Each structure stands twice: as structure tokens, then as C-alpha cells.
Amino acid sequence: MDNREIVGAGVPDRPSNDSTPLPPTCEAPKWYVDLNRDEFVAFRMLTARILGPLRQRIPTLIVSIFCFFLLGGFAVYEWMARVTPYPDPVLVVGALLVLIPSLILCVYVPNRLRSQAAKQYDRSVQAGMDFCGELVIYPDCIEKESGTVTASVRLDERALFIETADMMVITAVGSPAIVLPARCLTEGMARAIRQAAERIPARNHRFIARVIPQGEAVTPCAPKAKPEELWVSTFTYTAEEYAVVLKGIIQQHFWRMAPLLAAVSMMAALAFGYDGKNLIPCIGYFVAFIALLVVFNLVLPLRRVKMQAESLSAHDLTMQVRLDTMMVHQKLPKGGQNWVLWCDVDHVYEREEFVEIVHNKKASLFIPKRCIPDLDAFDAVIKRCRGE
């Protein structure tokens, strides 16, 4: 624990109409919060609606319904006008197909996200992760310190504050989220957290409902042995290396989006290219729409990679990576930090210039090989951490 001034930590609850600050010498219990399985799943669904794939549900639903009625209307009109003896099967099938994206986002994706969140919580607990920790509010950041790891979010323009009736969330890109369930909060704690969140720009506040504190006492968990640190390195990417990293990130994102882009192109092709007689014009429209989406989602971002990498300072390109027996830690000089449990690491590849750690089936950490003096020893560390 450093010597920065602590704001709110250990302050006892008082009636909400009493705003007089306590003298700094007042003693009070520490604040402890935890997170159970249901709350973790609820948090993941909340962030999916605000920041993740579920934020596109309404636009996708509107587009799908519009295309459904457009194609279905054409089929019914031709049939009623006796242009065709029966509803055009191509239009009917097309109308049904355009509903698929909305069904995926409204039914399949939420169920999959819930299942993945529950499994991730179980894996984390089995790996030794402790979700119970002490909450400390500093003038410039909020921390939750557990026996295994410390989550810290800086209160600046990169932070996001979310408040619902069930929880408060403080998160930032590149940092683990601090989730504060209403079950663990008191009125005093909620008030102190809102005061701290005032340092976050108002545009980064998402207010859904005022939290309803339940004030359940949280008993600190028994102290656990700290994970053993096995490897640590602080390095600075060169502009060329970071360009390679950015290209990998862009390509991974594009391939994750490819099924959705193909579905959107198919709907647009049917809506603009089908003339009620044949599907040949739809092929041209499909190629045109998919090419346009590839240009905007892959080609143009890749063209900007070199310029983006060269515009960053050495400070921005610096990262610290620590490997211990529980997880991979990433820390940026601006205060961002993140970690990945070894149980969530899918593969570790040795590339020409990097060692790539692929995790959660969708993201990668690139460590320059020039920063690894002994590749054999590093390989032994990876095998030990992964239980191989």
C-alpha cells in the first residue's frame, strides 16, 4: 500500500443528510466487497449491453424487421395481384433469412454470454482467484485488493462509471473492472463512490438506476499464498513491431466480424438486387456490399497502421509483462493494467519476431523475442504455468 491520501476508505456510514467530513483521526472498519457467480454473470451481461455485442441488438432488430416486411410485402403483393400463382418462394425464404441476425443477437448471443461468464467465474475460482477484497478510494484511482491480485482503475477520461439498481461498476479500457454489488454496499460507501466518480468526465457516466444498497457484511477470506512470480520484463515496442501488433489485432477483429458482415451483405443484396424473377443480380450486389465492408473494416484500418504506430511516443509503446503461477499480468505506463488467467490461455506460439500468447480465443499478447534472453528457460516457465 502506498502513502497516497485515502479518500473514503474506512469512513463509517452516516445519515445521507450529514455531509460533515469526519476528522482524519477517526477509526473505522475497512470496506470489503466480494462478487458471487450470479453477480459476475449480471456484470458481464451489463457490459455486453453497454460496450459489447448486445449494444447492436436494437439496430439489428430494426433492420431485420424492415427487410422482413419489405421482402414479405413483395411476395404478398405479387401473389395478391396475381402476378404469381403463389407467393414467390425465393422472397419468402429471403424474408425468413433476414431475421437470422436479430435472432442470433437477441437469443443465441445472450445465452452464450451467460454461459461463458458462468464458466469463466468457475474457472477463475478453481484457479485460485479471490473475488473478495478490500476497497480503497484514492484521489486519482479506485483499487480493490485481494489476496491474489489488485485491480486498479484510474479516475480519468478513459474510465467509465456505470450505476444500476444492482451494482456499481468502474472500468477502463486495458484495466480490469471493479464491480461493487449492491449486496455489499452501504449508503456511505455508495456516496463515497459517487463522489470519486465525479472525477470521471460526465460523458463517461452510464446511469441506469440508483443503486439500492443492502449493506450485507462481507467477511474477509483467509489469507492465501501469493502466486510465485517466474518471469518479468519491461520493454518498448519499436514502431515496426507495434505495426505488426496492430495488424494482428485488426485482422482478429475482422474475422470475428466476418459472419455478421456476410449476413448484412446478403440482406442488402436481397433487398436491392432481387427483381422477383431471378437471383443473378443479387450476386453482384452481394459482392459489391461485401467488398465495401471489407474496405472499411480491413483495408483502410490496415493502411493507417504504420502512421498510427509512428505517431506514438516511446512512453506509449512501453509495457511490462509479468508471469506468475496463476496469470499473465500486463501493465502500461499510463496506469492501465490487465491480467489473464493461465486457464484462459489457449495457445502460445513462437513467431519470427514475437512470442504470441493467445487467450480467450480472440485476443493476443505479443512479446518481442529480443526481450527474452533465454527462450528455453522461457519455454520452461510457460510449460510450468500451463501445467504441461
Side-chain angles (χ1 to χ4, degrees):
M1 191 67 68
D2 57 31
N3 294 322
R4 291 176 294 176
E5 176 190 0
I6 299 178
V7 181
V11 178
D13 297 335
R14 288 168 287 131
S16 59
N17 59 357
D18 181 8
S19 58
T20 305
L22 290 178
T25 57
C26 282
E27 297 288 338
K30 295 181 179 179
W31 288 351
Y32 286 94
V33 292
D34 65 0
L35 192 67
N36 62 35
R37 192 173 189 262
D38 292 339
E39 292 163 347
F40 182 82
V41 173
F43 152 69
R44 292 296 296 271
M45 297 304 296
L46 174 66
T47 54
R49 291 195 299 270
I50 295 177
L51 303 172
L54 296 185
R55 71 183 187 277
Q56 300 295 336
R57 282 189 308 172
I58 301 303
T60 302
L61 184 62
I62 292 174
V63 172
S64 293
I65 292 176
F66 171 78
C67 293
F68 171 79
F69 280 108
L70 180 66
L71 296 175
F74 279 142
V76 173
Y77 171 77
E78 291 181 350
W79 178 48
M80 297 295 292
R82 302 186 183 278
V83 176
T84 58
Y86 48 81
D88 191 324
V90 175
L91 285 175
V92 173
V93 172
L96 296 175
L97 288 177
V98 296
L99 289 178
I100 292 177
S102 61
L103 291 176
I104 291 175
L105 274 181
C106 294
V107 180
Y108 172 75
V109 172
N111 290 334
R112 181 172 175 79
L113 289 175
R114 290 189 188 94
S115 175
Q116 289 178 335
K119 291 179 180 178
Q120 183 177 3
Y121 184 89
D122 294 338
R123 289 197 307 270
S124 301
V125 172
Q126 292 172 2
M129 186 79 173
D130 190 354
F131 284 94
C132 177
E134 180 186 354
L135 181 70
V136 186
I137 304 177
Y138 294 106
D140 61 342
C141 72
I142 293 181
E143 289 186 354
K144 178 184 174 184
E145 182 177 1
S146 69
T148 54
V149 71
T150 297
S152 177
V153 178
R154 298 184 65 85
L155 301 171
D156 56 22
E157 68 279 357
R158 294 174 299 169
L160 176 68
F161 175 66
I162 307 172
E163 181 174 356
T164 72
D166 300 322
M167 65 182 65
M168 288 176 159
V169 178
I170 303 97
T171 186
V173 176
S175 295
I178 297 178
V179 185
L180 308 171
R183 172 178 58 85
C184 305
L185 295 177
T186 64
E187 288 290 349
M189 293 171 66
R191 185 167 57 250
I193 293 164
R194 290 192 193 97
Q195 291 174 353
E198 291 176 358
R199 304 180 185 94
I200 301 173
R203 65 178 181 275
N204 293 352
H205 287 229
R206 302 292 185 272
F207 179 81
I208 298 175
R210 193 172 184 85
V211 72
I212 304 175
Q214 299 176 20
E216 179 179 313
V218 177
T219 303
C221 298
K224 295 183 179 180
K226 287 282 187 179
E228 180 183 356
E229 185 177 284
L230 301 177
W231 188 86
V232 61
S233 178
T234 300
F235 53 87
T236 301
Y237 289 115
T238 64
E240 293 77 14
E241 288 172 341
Y242 197 66
V244 174
V245 172
L246 286 178
K247 286 180 180 178
I249 294 173
I250 291 171
Q251 290 169 351
Q252 288 173 349
H253 177 73
F254 173 78
W255 287 115
R256 289 199 304 270
M257 293 287 294
L260 178 61
L261 299 180
V264 171
S265 299
M266 182 189 67
M267 289 190 299
L270 286 173
F272 293 97
Y274 186 62
D275 59 1
K277 297 179 181 179
N278 62 73
L279 292 173
I280 300 300
C282 296
I283 298 175
Y285 277 97
F286 176 80
V287 172
F289 281 114
I290 198 71
L292 190 64
L293 292 174
V294 169
V295 168
F296 280 101
N297 290 276
L298 183 63
V299 177
L300 292 181
L302 288 177
R303 288 175 62 88
R304 293 193 293 265
V305 159
K306 184 178 180 181
M307 180 180 63
Q308 290 175 342
E310 292 177 348
S311 66
L312 297 174
S313 66
H315 183 73
D316 296 323
L317 296 175
T318 300
M319 174 187 292
Q320 182 187 79
V321 175
R322 290 191 299 113
L323 309 182
D324 61 34
T325 51
M326 181 179 292
M327 60 185 71
V328 181
H329 300 259
Q330 306 169 52
K331 186 176 182 181
L332 302 176
K334 291 184 177 181
Q337 62 169 330
N338 204 351
W339 61 71
V340 179
L341 293 168
W342 284 110
C343 59
D344 292 326
V345 172
D346 304 303
H347 303 284
V348 180
Y349 298 111
E350 181 181 348
R351 306 297 188 189
E352 183 177 353
E353 299 179 2
F354 298 93
V355 170
E356 180 184 2
I357 300 177
V358 182
H359 57 90
N360 297 304
K361 298 181 174 61
K362 62 181 181 180
S364 294
L365 168 63
F366 295 86
I367 303 176
K369 291 172 66 174
R370 60 180 172 81
C371 303
I372 307 175
D374 189 339
L375 281 173
D376 292 334
F378 185 82
D379 183 61
V381 168
I382 295 294
K383 288 181 177 179
R384 178 183 172 185
C385 293
R386 301 190 70 192
E388 298 177 355

